[in-house]
Amino acid sequence: MKQLIVSLGRQIGSGGHKIADALSQRLNLPLYDKNLITEIATQHHLDADALRQYEEAPKNRLFSRTVRGLNNSAEAGLAALQFRFLQEKAASGTSFLVLGRCAEYILRDYPGLVSIFISRDLEERIHVICRAKELSKENALDFIRKGDKRRAAYHNEHCPTPWGHGDTYDLTINTSRLGLEGTTDFLEEYIHRRMIP
């Protein structure tokens, strides 16, 4: 069977994680998201809880140093471990779905890669975060802006094309147009069509 790797980037509050969960079930693919940290921690005998604070975070420039191409920051070290994990999975011929982690760039040489970016209208994102985090509209907007800024900084630190930009992905889609289920249906069909030789 042809290898399939689905890479999903997403804005905070876009519904990207729910879509990833649904697609992984529909396509019968393992999903790598936060569980990737646990697998890496187990492989390398590290503390998973300690690693999580550096997940999808840009390196802190005040406390990091690069010498001969090697960086001492925990953020850069964790990113390298995650990238290596995904590259090894891809090289083994495994099919999987990955949420974030620069997979659209890290795995760009694999012909079975389908890269997607999920967005949503800001008002809907604010509403989602207000409910999920029990925040005021102002605090929800602040949470979204900080979260998106962190993801963009992390992505742009490791990839030559900008986070969320149309040129970076095969497809960008706004969940406000079709809703989460409709978007999932559309993406499932798109992925099936991409897999036709």
Side-chain angles (χ1 to χ4, degrees):
M1 183 178 163
K2 185 177 176 183
Q3 184 183 37
L4 171 62
I5 302 169
V6 180
S7 163
L8 280 181
R10 77 284 184 215
Q11 292 177 322
I12 298 282
S14 65
H17 201 285
K18 289 182 178 178
I19 289 171
D21 280 335
L23 284 175
S24 90
Q25 290 176 27
R26 291 187 190 192
L27 300 169
N28 196 28
L29 294 175
L31 170 61
Y32 293 111
D33 56 355
K34 292 188 181 300
N35 62 348
L36 203 150
I37 298 293
T38 306
E39 292 207 30
I40 287 171
T42 301
Q43 276 183 3
H44 297 275
H45 309 290
L46 300 169
D47 181 349
D49 291 331
L51 289 179
R52 282 194 182 92
Q53 66 184 309
Y54 305 112
E55 183 181 18
E56 286 195 291
K59 65 187 173 200
N60 185 326
R61 298 195 186 280
L62 292 175
F63 300 107
S64 67
R65 209 173 142 210
T66 302
V67 177
R68 295 184 189 145
L70 298 174
N71 191 280
N72 70 338
S73 80
E75 296 89 353
L78 179 57
L81 287 173
Q82 290 184 94
F83 299 160
R84 189 177 317 130
F85 178 93
L86 293 172
Q87 287 166 335
E88 287 171 359
K89 283 286 176 191
S92 74
T94 303
S95 292
F96 57 92
L97 192 152
V98 60
L99 198 59
R101 288 146 188 89
C102 301
E104 80 288 341
Y105 177 70
I106 300 303
L107 305 176
R108 67 194 178 281
D109 294 331
Y110 288 88
L113 175 68
V114 178
S115 62
I116 299 161
F117 188 82
I118 309 288
S119 66
R120 190 183 227 165
D121 289 351
L122 183 58
E123 282 304 312
E124 287 188 34
R125 295 167 65 202
I126 291 170
H127 179 70
V128 165
I129 296 301
C130 281
R131 285 178 47 203
K133 304 286 183 184
E134 298 181 353
L135 297 173
S136 67
K137 281 190 171 184
E138 294 76 18
N139 289 339
L141 179 59
D142 186 56
F143 180 87
I144 287 167
R145 285 184 173 153
K146 285 179 178 172
D148 281 352
K149 184 177 179 181
R150 177 179 164 122
R151 285 183 181 170
Y154 169 82
H155 181 279
N156 297 345
E157 189 174 284
H158 299 288
C159 306
T161 54
W163 180 77
H165 191 277
D167 290 346
T168 304
Y169 309 90
D170 297 327
L171 178 71
T172 59
I173 189 163
N174 185 327
T175 59
S176 297
R177 304 299 170 260
L178 298 174
L180 294 189
E181 188 171 348
T183 301
T184 305
D185 292 341
F186 177 86
L187 291 176
E188 182 182 13
E189 175 66 19
Y190 175 79
I191 292 163
H192 281 305
R193 285 178 177 265
R194 284 285 305 276
M195 293 307 293
I196 296 169

